[in-house]
């Protein structure tokens, strides 16, 4: 069945004015977003390049805010033309912000101060300070000193908007120590905090004696994920580890005696001691081997995606049930493509349990369903496919004239990501408007041209196409964000030159109508 016909924008506005909604508090917001989606996708709506800027430092974007100079300068992209929100004072290299996360007030939580309900930027500095910065003024609201025993470098969400994990750089030891064969017992540290009010859950050490030759480790949804160079991935319960191996519970701002030294937890120079030290192998939840440690969990019920741990299997994906490791029916997904860049696959971020498989010339949305008459087994089937706009014939004929004058016809196959053919480069999901955004690029002569397409997330139907005015060089690194009525393109050029292009939705009334209005 095709999509059901929905009321037009005028009808929706009339119903909203009359208050024709159910008792559900979220209905008004969903109706407003439905109106915005209709406006975004209608034919007369255009997206205009309203601002372009360049920088020598990386540019980051997060929910209507563009960050420059290592998060010290913030520009709002919500206005008709981007405007500066704040600029923090210049600082030394040791005080620069290494990584940051945008925190927004979780629904339903009661916070101690009214100011806490406003958005904050959680930032990690090069000299191991964890900061909470006002997202609108740049004022530092809270400061926590982590310590000096390691170099903390990365921030990530363990539980989105609730728990953060601060990861250290991996401790490989000095060159002299490595040459002497001296092994470093602690490979890296993970500091875990409950956000707002900030409270310490614990700092965990990943040591070689317990875990072996670990290449990386991270936290996600209460699960400690440990990765090895061999492709092995192991999962442990962080809560179980914390309960079993925590040496002493620490509270931020409270006095503490540790290792013969007394100080205040979270203040300089004492910092926060590592209070979770694993002395025995913790219970293993799950173990799997995958090429390049690629491992994802999702779907309903839980499934995981891996690539068999062999180089020749690159581009082959196995979708298996988490409960018993059984392969789903049609669970081996391999895209029939010949390209320089490999395809990629991931669980759909809309929590539908579907899977998105992206190749150079097609985007497959797969669904996971129960096999008829067998509820314990599941199968993979296509929900819909988005195809690139290109010629179907992959073969090209080349005529060669030999010295004797004989004409020889040679046939060869074009690569699926040949730059002269339309190729998919970015696929993202706009959750509020329920749209899939797909960036397609075609190399024309010396420069590439790109356009951003909006597809219905339910049926895959093409609803809108937006041309990007700037040239797209496929050898550069690109990020594209679609956020309500905004499109933002960040490009990294050689020699650390970063460019930012901002597009905003405008209603194109046409030159003739504008002339009439001005004369009136």
């Amino acid at each position: 069945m095709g999509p059901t016909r929905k009321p037009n924008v005028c009808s929706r506005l009339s119903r909203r004015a009359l208050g024709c909604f159910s008792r559900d508090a979220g209905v008004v917001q969903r109706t407003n977003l439905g109106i915005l989606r209709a406006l975004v996708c209608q034919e007369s709506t255009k997206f205009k390049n309203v601002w372009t800027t360049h920088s020598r430092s990386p540019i980051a974007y997060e929910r209507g805010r563009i960050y420059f100079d290592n998060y010290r300068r913030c520009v709002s992209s919500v206005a008709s033309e981007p405007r500066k929100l704040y600029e923090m004072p210049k600082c030394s290299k040791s005080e620069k912000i290494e990584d940051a996360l945008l925190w927004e007030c979780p629904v339903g939580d009661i916070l101690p101060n009214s100011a806490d309900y406003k958005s904050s930027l959680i930032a990690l500095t090069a000299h191991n300070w964890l900061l909470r910065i006002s997202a609108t003024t740049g004022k530092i609201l809270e400061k926590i000193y982590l310590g000096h025993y390691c170099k903390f470098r990365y921030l990530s969400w363990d539980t989105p908007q609730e728990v953060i994990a601060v990861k250290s750089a991996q401790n490989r030891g000095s060159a002299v120590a490595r040459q002497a064969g001296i092994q470093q017992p602690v490979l890296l540290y993970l500091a875990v905090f409950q956000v707002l009010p900030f409270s310490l859950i614990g700092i965990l050490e990943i040591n070689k004696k317990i875990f072996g030759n670990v290449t990386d480790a991270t936290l996600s949804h209460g699960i400690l994920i440990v990765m090895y160079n061999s492709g092995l991935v192991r999962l442990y319960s962080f809560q179980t580890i914390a309960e079993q191996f925590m040496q002493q519970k620490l509270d931020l701002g409270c006095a503490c005696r540790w290792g013969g030294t007394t100080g205040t937890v979270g203040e300089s120079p004492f910092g926060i001691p590592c209070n979770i030290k694993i002395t025995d192998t913790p219970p293993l939840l799950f173990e799997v081997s995958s090429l390049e440690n690629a491992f994802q969990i999702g779907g309903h019920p839980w499934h995981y995606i891996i690539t068999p741990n062999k180089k020749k299997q690159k581009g082959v994906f196995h979708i298996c049930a988490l409960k018993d490791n059984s392969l789903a029916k049609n669970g081996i997904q391999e895209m029939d493509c010949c390209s320089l860049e490999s395809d990629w696959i991931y669980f759909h971020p809309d929590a539908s349990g579907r899977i998105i498989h992206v190749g150079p010339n097609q985007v497959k949305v797969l669904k996971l369903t129960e096999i008829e008459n067998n509820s314990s087994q599941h199968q993979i089937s296509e929900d819909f496919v988005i195809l690139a706009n290109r010629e179907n014939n992959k073969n090209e004929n080349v005529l060669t004239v030999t010295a004797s004058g004989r004409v020889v016809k040679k046939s060869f196959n074009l690569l699926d990501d040949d730059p002269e053919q339309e190729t998919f480069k970015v696929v993202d999901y706009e959750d509020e408007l329920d749209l899939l955004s797909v960036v397609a690029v075609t190399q024309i002569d010396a420069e590439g041209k790109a356009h951003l397409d909006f597809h219905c997330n339910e049926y895959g139907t093409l609803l809108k196409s937006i041309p990007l005015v700037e040239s797209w060089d496929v050898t550069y690194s690109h990020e594209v964000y679609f956020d309500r009525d905004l499109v933002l393109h960040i490009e990294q050029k050689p020699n650390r030159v970063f460019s930012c292009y901002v597009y905003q939705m405008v209603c194109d009334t046409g030159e003739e109508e504008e002339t009439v209005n001005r004369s009136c």
Side-chain angles (χ1 to χ4, degrees):
M1 293 179 64
T4 56
R5 185 174 178 83
K6 296 181 180 179
N8 61 25
V9 171
C10 184
S11 174
R12 293 187 189 187
L13 288 171
S14 299
R15 288 171 60 83
R16 184 176 68 173
L18 294 171
C20 300
F21 301 114
S22 70
R23 296 177 181 270
D24 183 1
V27 170
V28 175
Q29 174 70 352
R30 288 196 297 272
T31 300
N32 291 341
L33 291 174
I35 293 171
L36 178 59
R37 171 178 161 142
L39 291 173
V40 165
C41 295
Q42 71 181 5
E43 187 178 352
S44 61
T45 300
K46 309 294 182 186
F47 277 76
K48 181 182 178 182
N49 179 216
V50 295
W51 197 61
T52 299
T53 189
H54 309 281
S55 172
R56 283 286 178 180
S57 62
I59 302 172
Y61 174 78
E62 192 74 49
R63 297 195 62 82
R65 298 176 178 89
I66 310 171
Y67 294 97
F68 300 88
D69 303 329
N70 300 110
Y71 294 95
R72 292 199 166 266
R73 183 161 61 96
C74 178
V75 172
S76 171
S77 61
V78 176
S80 58
E81 183 175 324
R83 59 182 177 84
K84 185 168 73 173
L85 279 178
Y86 65 81
E87 186 168 0
M88 299 174 69
K90 292 184 181 291
C91 65
S92 64
K93 190 175 180 179
S94 65
E95 296 175 301
K96 77 168 187 175
I97 296 175
E98 294 271 17
D99 202 359
L101 296 171
L102 183 67
W103 179 87
E104 296 179 306
C105 171
V107 178
D109 286 7
I110 299 176
L111 303 176
N113 302 310
S114 59
D116 293 339
Y117 290 91
K118 298 180 180 179
S119 300
S120 303
L121 192 70
I122 300 172
L124 174 66
T125 68
H127 60 334
N128 282 358
W129 281 88
L130 190 64
L131 310 177
R132 186 167 72 87
I133 303 168
S134 168
T136 54
T137 65
K139 180 182 177 182
I140 296 177
L141 304 175
E142 285 185 76
K143 296 176 64 175
I144 299 171
Y145 182 59
L146 298 175
H148 59 273
Y149 50 86
C150 69
K151 174 71 174 74
F152 286 99
R153 184 169 289 173
Y154 311 103
L155 282 177
S156 63
W157 289 111
D158 173 25
T159 304
Q161 302 297 320
E162 293 182 17
V163 180
I164 62 168
V166 190
K167 185 168 69 172
S168 74
Q170 190 160 339
N171 183 15
R172 300 184 181 276
S174 65
V176 175
R178 290 197 301 270
Q179 289 175 359
I182 300 174
Q183 299 286 340
Q184 294 295 326
V186 181
L187 298 172
L188 57 89
Y189 293 87
L190 287 167
V192 188
F193 295 87
Q194 184 81 33
V195 182
L196 213 63
F198 262 122
S199 60
L200 174 70
I201 296 176
I203 296 185
L204 165 70
E205 68 172 24
I206 304 296
N207 63 64
K208 188 181 179 70
K209 181 180 178 182
I210 300 298
F211 293 100
N213 291 317
V214 172
T215 56
D216 199 5
T218 188
L219 274 176
S220 178
H221 294 84
I223 301 296
L224 173 64
I225 304 171
V226 181
M227 288 157 276
Y228 297 84
N229 193 40
S230 62
L232 191 66
V233 180
R234 287 176 173 163
L235 273 60
Y236 304 88
S237 167
F238 175 71
Q239 182 179 352
T240 301
I241 290 173
E243 291 173 352
Q244 186 174 352
F245 299 106
M246 184 175 290
Q247 297 182 330
Q248 179 181 337
K249 183 168 176 55
L250 304 175
D251 295 315
L252 296 174
C254 295
C256 169
R257 183 169 181 80
W258 189 278
T261 305
T262 302
T264 303
V265 178
E267 293 186 5
S268 179
F270 189 74
I272 305 175
C274 176
N275 63 337
I276 304 177
K277 296 187 178 182
I278 302 175
T279 56
D280 196 8
T281 306
L284 182 67
L285 295 180
F286 185 78
E287 180 180 277
V288 71
S289 182
S290 181
L291 186 66
E292 299 174 350
N293 300 117
F295 172 70
Q296 303 173 64
I297 295 179
H300 306 297
W302 294 111
H303 278 66
Y304 64 88
I305 303 174
I306 62 166
T307 295
N309 197 10
K310 295 179 181 178
K311 287 186 177 180
K312 65 179 182 180
Q313 293 288 308
K314 190 170 185 177
V316 178
F317 303 100
H318 287 205
I319 304 168
C320 306
L322 189 64
K323 63 176 182 179
D324 57 6
N325 298 321
S326 61
L327 184 69
K329 185 179 180 181
N330 302 323
I332 299 178
Q333 291 293 316
E334 182 178 7
M335 195 166 280
D336 183 20
C337 62
C338 178
S339 58
L340 295 176
E341 296 183 10
S342 60
D343 48 321
W344 68 96
I345 193 169
Y346 56 97
F347 286 100
H348 200 309
D350 69 350
S352 63
R354 295 182 297 175
I355 297 167
I356 298 178
H357 189 183
V358 184
N361 61 344
Q362 58 181 315
V363 178
K364 290 184 178 181
V365 176
L366 310 171
K367 58 184 178 180
L368 188 66
T369 56
E370 290 183 358
I371 295 178
E372 191 176 353
N373 300 325
N374 188 354
S375 60
S376 62
Q377 292 290 320
H378 290 77
Q379 62 183 355
I380 303 296
S381 58
E382 284 186 3
D383 199 9
F384 60 82
V385 180
I386 300 170
L387 297 175
N389 184 19
R390 55 167 63 180
E391 296 178 3
N392 294 326
N393 187 12
K394 297 181 181 180
N395 296 323
E396 288 282 336
N397 294 323
V398 176
L399 299 179
T400 304
V401 181
T402 64
S404 62
R406 187 166 60 93
V407 177
V408 178
K409 184 184 292 186
K410 293 183 179 180
S411 179
F412 66 94
N413 292 330
L414 287 174
L415 290 172
D416 285 302
D417 57 355
D418 183 87
E420 295 184 359
Q421 298 277 349
E422 185 176 271
T423 305
F424 295 137
K425 294 296 182 182
V426 180
V427 177
D428 202 0
Y429 174 61
E430 216 295 345
D431 57 343
E432 292 183 300
L433 302 186
D434 197 29
L435 292 173
L436 278 176
S437 61
V438 180
V439 176
V441 181
T442 306
Q443 189 82 23
I444 302 173
D445 296 329
E447 63 178 28
K449 287 296 181 183
H451 57 90
L452 177 64
D453 296 339
F454 299 153
H455 292 263
C456 171
N457 183 49
E458 188 175 0
Y459 300 102
T461 311
L462 176 62
L463 302 175
K464 184 82 173 176
S465 186
I466 300 168
L468 302 182
V469 296
E470 66 274 9
S471 174
W472 184 295
D473 191 321
V474 294
T475 63
Y476 298 165
S477 175
H478 298 267
E479 296 174 69
V480 176
Y481 300 92
F482 169 46
D483 191 357
R484 291 193 176 186
D485 62 341
L486 172 84
V487 173
L488 188 134
H489 174 204
I490 298 175
E491 175 185 49
Q492 181 179 352
K493 300 177 181 178
N495 302 321
R496 289 185 63 81
V497 175
F498 298 85
S499 298
C500 178
Y501 309 91
V502 178
Y503 294 77
Q504 287 188 339
M505 184 181 77
V506 294
C507 290
D508 186 11
T509 57
E511 292 183 2
E512 294 181 2
E513 185 177 340
E514 288 180 1
T515 304
V516 171
N517 290 337
R518 282 198 297 268
S519 63
C520 292

